């Protein structure tokens, strides 16, 4: 699908929970050339007010996708629902943007990628951290620190803000898929390499979905990456440290700082302005539709992150033994 720069693209939004509302608000005010025309939500018997007023409301996502005014679909639901929605959008020939993680398992994600490829439909994964201004500045500095050797990534999210606390049923993902998947994607985004080997341990209190995941990943070129993802009650933490043969880059995307030290040179430090990542994601999605080009985060990128999560789960089931990440692809 492509369109002229003057043509408004009608968006069908599936999922208007707390995170979905953010997408709705940004689509209404911050994404030129696109507008929400239909919404899928559980309760259609409740009067549509505020931001929902004037929109077509559906309880069934299939009806929303079939709406002729819907030209592209944005999905902000539990990952357990994403595969069937993606397949329906592909069958209808409508571009689709899906919040991470793309699916709960690699096999489902691969089926989604195959479906859109066969249909010639655009699929973008909303790995929003790829659009964070702090993360992007840190990535720019990597070229100055020589060959990468060691990586340390930490993402701790307040339990109150977690998807698991906002969802009912077993479909809510654990910390690895909800929080750690950002870090798994960043390894590939920063290094440009695939992961060859994974070791992982999970903290599953009372046998529930994991509250924390700690993993060590080895890329195809031998970069060793440590990942720590958790739901916590002590405040959010988001840090990264990239060590190369010539220097080190560190960043804190919560405090919005980046530092770079090269050899004996004085340390350089930046404070970064906040960036609305959802806005950047949506604008990139609309641009890809209009120009009929590949989005900056493809369905395959989202699939690879889920496959790495699969490998982590396999390792955890073996008490943290090393497993081949290639077996998950």
């Amino acid at each position: 699908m492509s369109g002229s720069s003057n043509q408004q693209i009608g968006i069908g939004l599936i999922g208007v929970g707390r995170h979905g509302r953010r997408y709705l608000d940004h689509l209404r005010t911050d994404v030129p050339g696109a507008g929400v025309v239909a919404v899928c939500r559980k309760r259609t018997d409740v009067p549509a007010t505020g931001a929902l007023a004037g929109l077509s409301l559906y309880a069934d996502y299939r009806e929303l996708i079939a709406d002729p005014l819907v030209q592209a679909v944005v999905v902000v639901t539990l990952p357990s629902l994403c595969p069937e929605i993606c397949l329906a959008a592909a069958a209808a020939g409508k571009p689709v943007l899906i919040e991470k993680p793309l699916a709960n398992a690699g096999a489902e994600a691969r089926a989604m990628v195959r479906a859109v490829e066969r249909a010639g439909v655009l699929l973008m994964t909303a790995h929003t951290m790829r659009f964070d201004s702090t993360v992007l500045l840190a990535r720019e500095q990597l070229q100055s620190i020589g060959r990468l050797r060691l990586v340390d990534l930490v993402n701790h999210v307040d339990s109150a803000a977690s998807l698991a606390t906002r969802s009912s049923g077993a479909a809510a993902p654990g910390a690895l898929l909800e929080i750690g998947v950002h870090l798994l994607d960043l390894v590939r985004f920063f290094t440009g390499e695939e992961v060859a080997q994974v070791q992982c341990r999970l903290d599953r209190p009372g046998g529930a979905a994991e509250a924390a995941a700690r993993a060590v990943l080895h890329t195809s070129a031998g970069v060793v990456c440590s990942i720590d993802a958790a739901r916590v009650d002590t405040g959010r933490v988001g840090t990264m440290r990239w060590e190369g043969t010539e220097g080190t880059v560190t960043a804190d995307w919560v405090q919005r700082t980046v530092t770079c030290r090269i050899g004996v040179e004085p340390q350089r430090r930046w404070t970064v302005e906040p960036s609305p990542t959802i806005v950047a994601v949506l604008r990139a999605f609309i641009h890809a539709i209009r120009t009929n080009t590949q989005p900056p985060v493809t369905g395959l990128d989202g699939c690879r992150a889920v496959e790495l999560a699969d490998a982590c789960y396999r390792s955890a089931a073996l008490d943290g033994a090393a497993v081949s990440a290639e077996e998950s692809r």
Side-chain angles (χ1 to χ4, degrees):
M1 172 187 173
S2 60
S4 71
S5 59
N6 296 322
Q7 182 182 17
Q8 184 92 342
I9 295 176
I11 302 294
L13 177 63
I14 301 177
V16 283
R18 183 161 68 175
H19 199 42
R21 282 277 181 166
R22 296 188 184 107
Y23 276 81
L24 177 61
D25 291 342
H26 286 309
L27 280 165
R28 290 177 65 231
T29 60
D30 302 316
V31 187
V36 178
V37 297
V39 165
C40 182
R41 67 174 186 176
K42 293 179 181 178
R43 297 288 304 276
T44 56
D45 57 327
V46 179
T49 59
L52 297 178
L55 303 180
S56 298
L57 301 182
Y58 296 99
D60 189 328
Y61 70 84
R62 288 171 286 254
E63 294 179 1
L64 176 143
I65 292 173
D67 187 329
L69 294 179
V70 171
Q71 298 170 284
V73 180
V74 175
V75 184
V76 192
T77 68
L78 287 169
S80 57
L81 303 176
C82 294
E84 61 187 49
I85 295 173
C86 179
L87 297 185
K94 297 187 177 182
V96 58
L97 169 69
I98 299 179
E99 248 292 341
K100 64 79 201 166
L102 196 62
N104 273 333
E108 296 173 331
R110 288 191 293 275
M112 296 161 73
V113 171
R114 286 195 297 268
V116 297
E117 287 178 346
R118 286 194 300 267
V121 169
L122 184 152
L123 170 60
M124 178 172 170
T125 310
H127 273 290
T128 52
M129 282 192 63
R130 289 199 185 201
F131 298 85
D132 183 275
S133 53
T134 303
V135 170
L136 290 172
L137 178 58
R139 186 171 181 253
E140 289 175 9
Q141 306 310 309
L142 290 195
Q143 60 185 348
S144 64
I145 64 170
R147 181 176 57 84
L148 273 177
R149 299 189 302 188
L150 298 173
V151 179
D152 186 36
L153 304 174
V154 179
N155 194 14
H156 292 178
V157 173
D158 292 335
S159 295
S162 169
L163 176 63
T165 64
R166 310 194 300 271
S167 306
S168 59
L176 178 63
L177 266 176
E178 181 189 0
I179 301 166
V181 74
H182 278 301
L183 308 182
L184 297 174
D185 179 64
L186 288 180
V187 169
R188 295 183 65 250
F189 181 53
F190 270 67
T191 67
E193 302 169 20
E194 298 294 347
V195 174
Q197 180 180 287
V198 170
Q199 295 170 272
C200 181
R201 291 188 179 275
L202 304 176
D203 177 19
R204 285 180 166 142
E210 72 276 2
R214 293 171 177 83
V216 177
L217 286 63
H218 295 256
T219 73
S220 56
V223 182
V224 180
C225 307
S226 172
I227 285 177
D228 177 356
R231 298 184 180 116
V232 297
D233 298 320
T234 54
R236 188 178 180 193
V237 177
T239 62
M240 55 174 59
R241 183 176 186 274
W242 302 84
E243 180 182 314
T245 54
E246 306 297 329
T248 303
V249 173
T250 60
D252 184 323
W253 61 82
V254 177
Q255 301 299 323
R256 314 211 64 81
T257 60
V258 176
T259 61
C260 181
R261 184 181 294 278
I262 310 297
V264 297
E265 296 178 9
Q267 175 178 279
R268 290 176 290 163
R269 187 179 189 276
W270 299 266
T271 299
V272 186
E273 291 296 318
S275 56
T277 56
I278 293 176
V279 172
V281 165
L282 288 168
R283 289 180 175 178
F285 179 54
I286 298 303
H287 177 77
I289 294 172
R290 290 198 180 284
T291 58
N292 195 28
T293 55
Q294 181 171 278
V297 193
T298 65
L300 183 59
D301 289 326
C303 179
R304 286 287 185 260
V306 176
E307 290 171 340
L308 285 177
D310 276 358
C312 288
Y313 285 125
R314 286 195 292 111
S315 172
L318 298 172
D319 294 324
V323 301
S324 169
E326 295 177 358
E327 294 179 10
S328 296
R329 297 200 284 271

